[in-house]
Amino acid sequence: MEYSRQVRELLAARYDHPPMAYVHSFGCQQNQSDGEKIAGMLAQMGYGFTDAPEQADLVIYNTCAVRENAEDRVFGNVGALKSAKKRRAGMLIGLCGCMMQQQAVADKIKKSYPYVDLVFGTHALHTLPELLYRRLLGENRQFSTENARGEIIEGVPLRRSGSIKANLPVMYGCDNFCTYCIVPYVRGRERSRNPGDVLNEARALVGQGYRELLLLGQNVNSYGKGLSEPINFAALLRRVNEIEDDFWIRFMTSHPKDCTHELIDTIAACNKVCRHIHLPVQSGSDRILAAMNRHYTVAHYLELIDYARARIPGVTFSSDIIVGFPGETRADFEQTLELIKRVRFNALYTFIYSPRPGTKAAGMEDPTPAADKSLWLRELLDAESDIRSGMQADAVGTTLRVLAEGEGRSGDGWLTGRTQGNDIVEFTAPRAMIGSFVDVTIERAQNWALFGRLKEG
Ligand code: 5AD
Ligand code: SF4
C-alpha cells in the first residue's frame, strides 16, 4: 500500500496526464485472474489503460509456460517492443507470470533483453508496486523470481475484465506433478483461500450484479487441504450456492483422481452450479496415463462420467487431451479416439505434447516423429468436430437457458451468450437483455455456435 502511494505520487509529479499501461495475460484462467490483480494494482497507482502497447508508458506481459509455443509468443512480443521503447521516452517493460518463475527464462531475459525493466514470478505478483517504485526512481532493472513458500496475499486490488462473469480464485498451486507439467514448479504448492474470504468475495460480486462466478484453482478438488477450518470443495460449492440471487457457478479445473461422488452429488443438489464438468482426461491409454502420473485409469474415468450422467440430467463434459506424449504409440492414440467417441465431450482442448525443461517427461524417450503427432491431432480434431456437430444438431428445437453476455457476431439485433454447457448461442433480442438469463429456442447450428430466438410466452 505504501509503495503504491509512493508510485502514485511519483507519477503525478512526472506526468501531466495519467500514464498509460498495457497489460496482456497469456495462458489459463488463473493467469487471466492474476492479470486482473496486476491491472488493479496499476489502477490504484494512477495508471490508465490502453490497448496499444506501443502507446503505453508501461507494458506488462503476464506469461504462460505450459507449452513452448506460449513462450515463443512472449519472446516475439517482447522483441517487437524494442523499437517502440526507443521511440517512447520513459517506457517501461515488465514481464511476469509462470515463465518468469523459471530461473533459466529469467536469466535469458537478463542477458539478452536488456531493455526489459521488471521481471517478477508468480510468487512476487503483489510486489509490483515496490519493483515499479525502485525502477521509476532509477534503480537497476528489477528481478524478483525467488520461489516463495507461497502464502496467500488477500486484499490485492482488482480491475475485473468484465461485468457479467467474474473469476474467483479459491486455491493456488498444484501438488500433483503430472510428468509433463510445469505448473507445480512455477506456481508452487497447493494452498487454499479461507472460505470466509471466498464467500465474502462471492457475495460482493453477486451484489454488484455479476451473473456467473468461475471458481478457480489448478486443482479445485484439493480445496481446503491445510486450512484450519475443515472444509472441502463440495462444501465450499454448497456455501456459494446458498448465496441468494440468480447467478451461475462454474469451476475449473477438476482432476479425475479426486473428483468424488460427493462432488458430483453436490453439483446435482446445487441449483446454481452449471450442469457441466471440465474434467481433463489427457489420454485414453492406461499405459500413458501411468507414465503421465495421473493416478487413474480409463475405467475409473468412465465410471465418473456414467455416475455423473446418472445423477445430473443433461450434464455435459469437456476435456483436455495431450497428443504425442513421449512413448505414445498409434495404438495408445487410438484408445484416446475411442474414449472421446464414448464420452462425447461438447468441447475438447487438444495439445501436442511440448517438453518442459525440468519435468520428468522431458527426459523420456520420444521416438514418434512430429509429423505423425500432427496427423493424430488432426484426426482427433475431426472426430471431435463430428461429435460436436451431432450434439449441436440434437439441440435444434430445444429451449436452452442462456446467460446473455454481449452483442453477437451475426449483426445488428443479435446478442451472444452461453449455455450451462458453455456452448455459444446467438439470438435476436434487445440490448437491454445483456446480463440477464434468457430462454432461447434453438433453430439452427453452425460449428461455432447455436442460433435461435427468445422463447415465446
Ligand atoms: N504439453 C502439452 N500440453 C500440456 N498441458 C500441460 N502441460 C503440457 C505440455 N507439456 C495441457 C494439459 C493441461 C492443459 C492446461 O494444458 O492438457 O490440462
Ligand atoms: Fe500457463 Fe499453467 Fe501458468 Fe496457467 S498455470 S499460465 S496454464 S503455465
Side-chain angles (χ1 to χ4, degrees), residues 43 48 50 58 73 83 94 98 106 124 167 176 270 282 287 292 320 338 351 353 366 385-386 388 414 418 423 433 442:
T50 168
L58 172 64
R73 293 223 310 277
S83 57
C98 292
N167 296 317
N176 286 328
C270 290
Q282 311 297 358
R287 199 176 68 80
M292 288 175 163
D320 296 347
E338 238 170 78
F351 312 102
Y353 168 73
D366 188 4
S385 156
D386 287 349
R388 220 180 125 70
W414 287 83
R418 292 204 181 236
D423 288 321
M433 290 201 149
I442 306 301

Side-chain angles (χ1 to χ4, degrees), residues 372-424:
D372 287 6
K373 295 186 181 184
S374 299
L375 286 175
W376 295 355
L377 179 70
R378 189 72 257 152
E379 230 177 296
L380 186 65
L381 291 172
D382 287 346
E384 172 56 18
S385 156
D386 287 349
I387 292 165
R388 220 180 125 70
S389 308
M391 291 175 83
Q392 289 193 323
D394 290 347
V396 173
T398 65
T399 295
L400 299 172
R401 194 146 181 78
V402 172
L403 174 56
E405 293 174 7
E407 289 181 41
R409 281 162 56 179
S410 312
D412 258 6
W414 287 83
L415 299 187
T416 188
R418 292 204 181 236
T419 63
Q420 293 201 20
N422 227 2
D423 288 321
I424 298 173

Side-chain angles (χ1 to χ4, degrees), residues 66-67 180-181 280 282 320-322 351-354 356:
V66 81
R67 283 172 292 276
Y180 50 81
C181 189
Q282 311 297 358
D320 296 347
I321 304 271
I322 295 178
F351 312 102
I352 290 187
Y353 168 73
S354 167
R356 305 288 59 219

